[in-house]
Amino acid sequence: MSSGPEPGIRPGTGTGPPIGSGPGLPFLPGCAIKDPTVSAPAHCTPAVPPLPTGGPLDQVAVSAKFMQYFDSWISFQQKTSFHRSQTLDFKNGYAFFRLPREGVGGETLFENQLSQDELDDLCTKGATLTYGQVKRSAPSRFTPAFVAYDKKVLKFDAYFQEEVPISAEEHYRIRQVGLYYYLEDDSMCIIEPKVKNSGLLQGKLMKRHRVPKNGPGDYYHWKDLNLGIDLTIYGRTYRLVNCDSFTKVFLESQGIVVNPPEELVSDPYTEQRRTPVQKRIVPAGPDPFRQFLTYDTKVLRFYAIWDDTNCAFGDHHPCVIHYFLADDTVEVREVHKRNDGRDPFPVLMRRQRLPKIFVDKNKNFPSCVLEITDHEVQEWYSPKDFGIGKTVTLLGRTYLIYDCDKFTQDFYREKYGITDFQPVDVNKKPLEKVPQVIPPYNGFGVPEDSLQNCLSLFPKPPRKDIIKMLENNLKVLRYQVALESPVPEDKNRRFILSYFLSDDTIGIYEPPVKNSGIPGGKYLKRTKVTKPGSTPENPIYYEPSDFTIGSTIEVFGHRFVIIDADEYVLNYLERNAESFPAATVQSIRDHFLPRKVVVETTSSGIPKKDLDDLIVEVQKELMLQQPFNTRQFHETFHHFDKEGSGFLDKATFLNICDRFNVPTSTILLKKLIDYCSCDNDKVNYRDFLLAFPSNLFPEAEGQDQQLNSQLT
C-alpha cells in the first residue's frame, strides 16, 4: 500500500509518485498534518483540471487556460487566513453594521451593484417566450405565525372525573373545566370556573405551556383536538364535549370534520344539594325535644328602654330584648349610637333563663355562688310576660317595652290572640325653654357692652353700624356748655361738648383757664350717654335733636346748660332739616341771628377787605400806645358775658376798654366800634377782639410773668 502518488507525476493527475523524494505518512485520519503557514500537501491541494482532448488543440487557448488554472492553484497555496471578516464595529461611540469586504482566505468581495427595483424585476421575470417575458406578481410578504395567530384561541368545554375516597355521600366528583389552545405558540391551559363555597382549589388548574403528547417528545397540536374525544394530560383524562363558534369555524377551515357536541355532565352530589330539604317530621306524642325541634331559630324581638336617670350621669338606654323560644332564654343587647360616649359592648345581659318568682328559701342560701335550679324557682319568665307597654324587671333593671318586630306580632296573634300592637311613644319631649333673666345694669361701661357678659361665656363687642360710621366719619357737632352747680367756683366753668355722629357718642372737654385752680382737660371720655328716666333694659340715648340753646343735659348726675354752638351745627341741621325737629333747627337759627345781622350790617357799609385794612391800621395805632396784657383783656370780656352770646352792652364794653386804657376816642377805634355795634345798643366784642391778638404786646406778658414769679 503506497502512501501517496508516485514521484514524477504532476499534481492533480491522480497517478504517479509525489513530487519530491523520501517516504511519506499514509493518508489516514490522524496522520495528516495541517500547517497553513507552509505549502499544502499534494493530497489536500486542488487538482489542476486536465487539458481538453479529442480535437485539434489551440496552443494559445490551452496555454491561457493552463495559466488561469495554475494562478488559482498558486493563490490557494499562498492563503494563510481562513477566518470570516468582521462585520460589527464602533464609530463615534455608536455600534453599526458593515458589509464584509473580504471572504474566507482573504478574497476580495464585490458589493452588489444592482438596485432593489432591478432585483425585484429579476425575481418576477420568467423565461423568454415569443411575445416577450411574462410579468409575474411580486411574492407576498412573509407573516410570522405569532403575528398571524395573535390573540386567537381555541376554546373547548370539557370535564373530568375525580375520585372521592374519603366521603360516604359521594364516590366520585365531576369537575367542569375550560380548555384553551393558543394558536400563536401552540400552548395550552386549563381553567376551572370558581364555585362559591365549593371547598375546592379552583381557578387555573394548568398554567399555559406546550403540553407533551407522548414519551418521544411530541407536543399536542390543534390537529389532535376534536369534540367527543378523551384527552389525557399529565395522567388526567379530559372529555371534550363542546367548543365555541370560532373554534368550530377554524377547524372546519383547516379541513377537520368536527364531531357533534355532547351534553356536559353535571356533578351528582351538587345536584343532590340543590334539591329542596325535606321538612322535619315533628313527633305527634309528647317529646322532651319537641319544643326545640318546633321553635329552633325562632326568636321574639322586643324594643325597650332602660331608664337610668335616677342614678348619677344616668340616661335613657335603648335596648333590644331577645326571647329564644327553643329554650326559653332571654338576652338583652344595648343599641349604641354614634358618639354616644359609651363603651361599645353589644351584650348588656348574656343569654340565660330568668327566674320570675322564687320559692321561699333560707336567707343563708348562697345564690351568688350556686346556680339557681328548678327547685329554687317557682316560675320562670315566659312569652306571656312580655308585651308592648309592659314593664319587666330583669336582674334588677327595669325595661319598658315599646315595640316589637313583625314575627313577634304574628306569634302573639296566633298563640294569644292579641291584635293591638300600637307602639308606645318614648321620644324625649323637648325641654321647656326657660326665659333668660337679664340682671340689672351695674353702671360699668355701655349697657350693650355689659349685656354681652350675660349672653355668652366669651363676650364679644356689640356690632357697630358700619354704614353709619362711613357716612358720618369725622362729623362732629360741638356745643359750649356751662355747668349747673351750687358751688360758686363752678359757675364760670365752660366746657366743650362734642357729639360724634358716627357712633352717637359724647365727649366733654374743659379748656384750661390760668389761675382758676382747675386743671381742665378731658372731662368725659367718649361714650354713649343715656337720658334721665331710661331703664337699662331699654336705654334711650341723647341725639342731636335734644341739643338746643338753653336746654339742660344730664351726664351721669352732672347737669350742663348749652349756651353756644359751632356754625357747623347750624349748617348740618339746615342740610338735614327733614331728620330733626323744627324746634331744634329754629333754636340754633335764633342763636346765630344777631351775628348774621351784624355781619349783614357791616358788610353793607364796609367790605371785608376794608375791614381787614382797618384792623391792621388799628393795630399800628395801638403799638404807639402804652402796652397792656391782651390775654387778660380777652378774659375780662368773657367774664362779663355770662350767657356766652358774644355780645355786651355798649356801656359795659366802654367801661372795660377804659379799665385797660384802650383809646376808644380815636377815629380808627370809633370806626371799629361802630362796625361791631348792633341796633339794640350791643357790641360784638368777639369781632372787636380780632384787633387785639394775644401776641400784640409780648413785653407786657413777660412783665406779668416776672411779677407772678416774684409773688410766688
Side-chain angles (χ1 to χ4, degrees):
M1 180 177 180
S2 61
S3 60
E6 298 179 358
I9 302 300
R10 185 177 298 275
T13 58
T15 58
I19 300 175
S21 60
L25 296 175
F27 184 53
L28 295 176
C31 296
I33 300 176
K34 297 180 180 180
D35 189 359
T37 60
V38 299
S39 299
H43 59 268
C44 62
T45 58
V48 178
L51 296 175
T53 58
L57 299 176
D58 189 353
Q59 297 296 332
V60 178
V62 171
S63 300
K65 200 70 173 176
F66 177 79
M67 292 303 295
Q68 182 181 359
Y69 288 161
F70 186 75
D71 292 341
S72 63
W73 180 78
I74 293 300
S75 62
F76 180 78
Q77 295 294 331
Q78 294 177 353
K79 290 181 180 179
T80 58
S81 176
F82 297 92
H83 66 277
R84 297 186 63 182
S85 300
Q86 182 71 20
T87 59
L88 301 178
D89 198 356
F90 281 88
K91 186 175 183 180
N92 296 332
Y94 293 92
F96 68 97
F97 174 80
R98 65 181 181 182
L99 296 176
R101 298 181 179 179
E102 296 180 354
V104 178
E107 294 182 0
T108 303
L109 298 178
F110 297 97
E111 297 182 356
N112 189 7
Q113 302 297 330
L114 298 179
S115 62
Q116 185 64 32
D117 296 337
E118 294 174 349
L119 293 175
D120 293 341
D121 293 340
L122 292 176
C123 294
T124 56
K125 286 183 179 180
T128 303
L129 301 178
T130 305
Y131 298 100
Q133 296 180 349
V134 178
K135 193 81 171 182
R136 290 185 298 179
S137 60
S140 59
R141 298 187 63 182
F142 172 72
T143 304
F146 66 88
V147 176
Y149 295 114
D150 184 29
K151 298 181 181 179
K152 294 184 179 180
V153 184
L154 305 182
K155 196 262 182 180
F156 295 89
D157 295 333
Y159 69 89
F160 68 93
Q161 180 176 333
E162 183 182 28
E163 295 183 358
V164 184
I166 60 175
S167 177
E169 298 181 358
E170 55 177 344
H171 301 288
Y172 67 93
R173 184 181 296 120
I174 300 297
R175 301 177 64 175
Q176 302 175 358
V177 298
L179 189 145
Y180 299 87
Y181 185 92
Y182 299 87
L183 295 174
E184 57 178 334
D185 57 355
D186 298 328
S187 60
M188 299 171 59
C189 73
I190 299 176
I191 298 177
E192 180 182 7
K194 292 186 179 181
V195 180
K196 190 176 181 180
N197 298 328
S198 64
L200 303 175
L201 295 176
Q202 297 175 327
K204 184 174 287 188
L205 301 182
M206 185 183 74
K207 67 179 183 179
R208 177 180 172 182
H209 66 288
R210 297 189 67 186
V211 181
K213 181 179 179 181
N214 48 29
D218 298 334
Y219 295 95
Y220 276 109
H221 196 261
W222 53 267
K223 298 179 181 179
D224 302 326
L225 305 179
N226 204 337
L227 302 184
I229 65 173
D230 293 334
L231 195 67
T232 302
I233 299 176
Y234 296 122
R236 180 177 289 174
T237 302
Y238 297 90
R239 181 70 177 181
L240 306 183
V241 296
N242 203 349
C243 65
D244 57 1
S245 59
F246 171 77
T247 304
K248 184 177 179 180
V249 172
F250 177 80
L251 294 178
E252 290 178 349
S253 66
Q254 300 298 328
I256 299 176
V257 179
V258 181
N259 299 330
E262 300 178 359
E263 185 178 357
L264 191 62
V265 181
S266 302
D267 184 26
Y269 179 73
T270 304
E271 296 296 331
Q272 179 185 356
R273 292 290 301 271
R274 291 176 180 175
T275 57
V277 181
Q278 298 180 358
K279 295 184 179 180
R280 299 171 182 172
I281 300 175
V282 180
D287 194 343
F289 300 104
R290 181 176 180 179
Q291 180 181 0
F292 174 78
L293 296 177
T294 305
Y295 297 110
D296 187 25
T297 68
K298 294 182 180 180
V299 183
L300 304 180
R301 177 179 293 178
F302 302 93
Y303 302 100
I305 286 290
W306 170 34
D307 190 359
D308 191 28
T309 55
N310 295 330
C311 301
F313 309 106
D315 199 358
H316 292 83
H317 304 266
C319 302
V320 177
I321 301 176
H322 291 155
Y323 188 93
F324 298 87
L325 296 174
D327 53 358
D328 295 328
T329 55
V330 181
E331 178 190 60
V332 180
R333 289 177 172 268
E334 185 177 1
V335 179
H336 291 280
K337 297 181 181 179
R338 190 174 184 180
N339 298 329
D340 58 357
R342 300 187 181 93
D343 294 332
F345 294 114
V347 179
L348 184 62
M349 186 186 72
R350 66 179 179 86
R351 179 178 175 180
Q352 57 182 313
R353 293 188 69 186
L354 296 177
K356 182 180 179 182
I357 302 176
F358 289 92
V359 179
D360 295 337
K361 58 183 179 180
N362 298 328
K363 295 182 179 180
N364 56 358
F365 180 78
S367 58
C368 62
V369 178
L370 299 179
E371 293 183 357
I372 299 176
T373 60
D374 295 339
H375 301 286
E376 289 82 16
V377 179
Q378 182 178 353
E379 183 181 357
W380 300 86
Y381 273 102
S382 60
K384 64 181 180 181
D385 299 321
F386 297 88
I388 297 178
K390 292 184 178 181
T391 302
V392 293
T393 302
L394 306 177
L395 299 183
R397 295 187 178 94
T398 302
Y399 300 89
L400 172 63
I401 301 175
Y402 64 89
D403 200 2
C404 61
D405 61 355
K406 188 177 183 304
F407 172 77
T408 306
Q409 295 178 8
D410 297 340
F411 176 80
Y412 277 89
R413 188 181 293 108
E414 295 176 1
K415 189 167 185 178
Y416 297 102
I418 300 176
T419 58
D420 185 14
F421 299 101
Q422 184 66 26
V424 180
D425 187 12
V426 294
N427 295 328
K428 293 182 180 180
K429 296 182 180 180
L431 299 177
E432 296 181 0
K433 188 175 181 180
V434 180
Q436 185 179 9
V437 179
I438 304 299
Y441 176 59
N442 55 8
F444 292 96
V446 183
E448 288 82 357
D449 194 9
S450 300
L451 181 62
Q452 299 299 322
N453 296 315
C454 306
L455 301 179
S456 62
L457 185 61
F458 299 98
K460 298 180 180 179
R463 291 188 176 182
K464 298 180 180 180
D465 190 352
I466 304 299
I467 303 300
K468 183 178 180 180
M469 294 178 63
L470 295 176
E471 292 178 351
N472 299 313
N473 187 26
L474 302 178
K475 293 183 180 180
V476 183
L477 305 181
R478 293 181 175 85
Y479 303 88
Q480 186 178 20
V481 296
L483 179 63
E484 277 191 2
S485 175
V487 181
E489 290 78 4
D490 295 337
K491 290 183 179 181
N492 297 328
R493 297 178 64 180
R494 297 294 181 265
F495 301 87
I496 304 300
L497 187 146
S498 302
Y499 186 91
F500 298 88
L501 296 172
S502 59
D503 54 357
D504 299 330
T505 56
I506 294 176
I508 300 178
Y509 176 79
E510 182 180 8
V513 179
K514 286 188 176 183
N515 300 326
S516 63
I518 300 174
K522 184 181 291 186
Y523 186 80
L524 175 66
K525 185 180 178 181
R526 182 176 174 180
T527 183
K528 287 187 176 182
V529 180
T530 58
K531 293 182 179 180
S534 62
T535 60
E537 292 78 12
N538 297 316
I540 303 175
Y541 300 102
Y542 278 108
E543 298 178 353
S545 59
D546 300 323
F547 299 103
T548 59
I549 301 299
S551 61
T552 303
I553 306 299
E554 184 174 347
V555 180
F556 301 114
H558 300 272
R559 297 171 62 86
F560 295 89
V561 179
I562 300 177
I563 60 177
D564 197 2
D566 282 348
E567 292 186 6
Y568 178 77
V569 177
L570 178 61
N571 297 334
Y572 180 79
L573 294 180
E574 289 180 347
R575 286 197 306 267
N576 303 276
E578 67 278 358
S579 302
F580 301 99
T584 303
V585 180
Q586 189 63 34
S587 174
I588 303 299
R589 286 175 180 172
D590 295 343
H591 177 69
F592 283 93
L593 183 60
R595 301 183 188 180
K596 290 185 178 180
V597 171
V598 173
V599 171
E600 293 175 358
T601 304
T602 56
S603 61
S604 60
I606 304 176
K608 181 71 170 57
K609 186 176 182 303
D610 297 342
L611 176 62
D612 296 339
D613 297 339
L614 178 61
I615 291 175
V616 173
E617 293 178 0
V618 169
Q619 291 179 354
K620 291 181 179 180
E621 184 178 354
L622 291 175
M623 294 297 293
L624 302 176
Q625 303 294 330
Q626 184 178 0
F628 61 93
N629 193 340
T630 55
R631 185 181 299 276
Q632 293 181 2
F633 187 60
H634 282 249
E635 292 176 358
T636 304
F637 278 105
H638 288 293
H639 176 71
F640 282 94
D641 186 11
K642 304 295 183 181
E643 298 178 357
S645 61
F647 295 90
L648 290 176
D649 295 338
K650 197 168 186 178
T652 306
F653 174 80
L654 296 176
N655 188 15
I656 296 174
C657 292
D658 294 340
R659 290 177 56 183
F660 285 88
N661 299 323
V662 177
T664 57
S665 59
T666 61
I667 298 174
L668 294 177
L669 284 176
K670 282 183 179 182
K671 191 175 182 180
L672 181 61
I673 292 173
D674 293 338
Y675 169 78
C676 298
S677 300
C678 299
D679 296 339
N680 51 2
D681 295 335
K682 286 190 176 183
V683 180
N684 187 352
Y685 67 87
R686 293 182 178 177
D687 294 341
F688 180 77
L689 292 178
L690 294 176
F692 298 88
S694 58
N695 56 354
L696 182 61
F697 303 108
E699 61 275 7
E701 293 184 3
Q703 295 176 2
D704 292 342
Q705 291 178 1
Q706 293 179 2
L707 181 61
N708 292 334
S709 60
Q710 292 176 2
L711 294 175
T712 304

